[in-house]
Amino acid sequence: MGVYLDLTDLSDPSLTFTADHVADADVYVDAVLAERGIYRSDLTLPNDLLTRIAIYWAKRCAAIEGAIGDNSPLIAKAREYESNAKQLVGTISKKALGITDSVGFGVVTLGRG
């Protein structure tokens, strides 16, 4: 079982999925989040957007692994899954993930010291 998805979330009759694909998807999603200054501890999981990204990335990895030769139809499928994942990555924001920035009030002392 992964952080963002599970093997049972993956289905494509032309692909075989393993725990390694789930792990690769977790690493990808963590890296994308880190680029945006968002960390797993900030999130409430499961998160539908992150799960969908992870599913596409895991399918991409499985398609690449299953491809035999450069002309394999799985290469085109891998590119499509990668494109879908990256399109969803473009929608990631703290707001989209349900993260609210808490703004607090501080104390400032004004005067001469």
Side-chain angles (χ1 to χ4, degrees), residues 94-112:
K94 288 186 176 186
K95 183 177 180 180
L97 297 176
I99 300 170
T100 56
D101 286 330
S102 57
V103 178
F105 294 97
V107 176
V108 177
T109 304
L110 299 174
R112 295 182 184 191

Side-chain angles (χ1 to χ4, degrees), residues 7-13 17 55 59 81:
L7 271 174
T8 58
D9 296 322
L10 299 170
S11 65
D12 184 321
F17 299 103
I55 287 170
K59 287 181 176 184
Y81 285 137

Side-chain angles (χ1 to χ4, degrees), residues 15-37:
L15 300 174
T16 302
F17 299 103
T18 67
D20 287 340
H21 301 129
V22 172
D24 290 343
D26 283 346
V27 169
Y28 177 73
V29 172
D30 282 340
V32 165
L33 292 173
E35 286 175 357
R36 288 161 176 72

Side-chain angles (χ1 to χ4, degrees), residues 5-103:
L5 77 156
D6 191 40
L7 271 174
T8 58
D9 296 322
L10 299 170
S11 65
D12 184 321
S14 62
L15 300 174
T16 302
F17 299 103
T18 67
D20 287 340
H21 301 129
V22 172
D24 290 343
D26 283 346
V27 169
Y28 177 73
V29 172
D30 282 340
V32 165
L33 292 173
E35 286 175 357
R36 288 161 176 72
I38 301 170
Y39 301 94
R40 208 182 285 174
S41 59
D42 299 334
L43 302 170
T44 301
L45 297 173
N47 179 285
D48 184 56
L49 175 59
L50 299 180
T51 298
R52 289 174 30 219
I53 292 168
I55 287 170
Y56 282 130
W57 199 259
K59 287 181 176 184
R60 173 204 172 269
C61 294
I64 289 172
E65 188 175 283
I68 300 172
D70 294 336
N71 296 325
S72 171
L74 292 181
I75 295 295
K77 189 174 264 203
R79 286 187 187 118
E80 182 179 332
Y81 285 137
E82 181 175 358
S83 174
N84 291 339
K86 288 185 175 184
Q87 185 177 16
L88 288 175
V89 163
T91 67
I92 290 178
S93 67
K94 288 186 176 186
K95 183 177 180 180
L97 297 176
I99 300 170
T100 56
D101 286 330
S102 57
V103 178

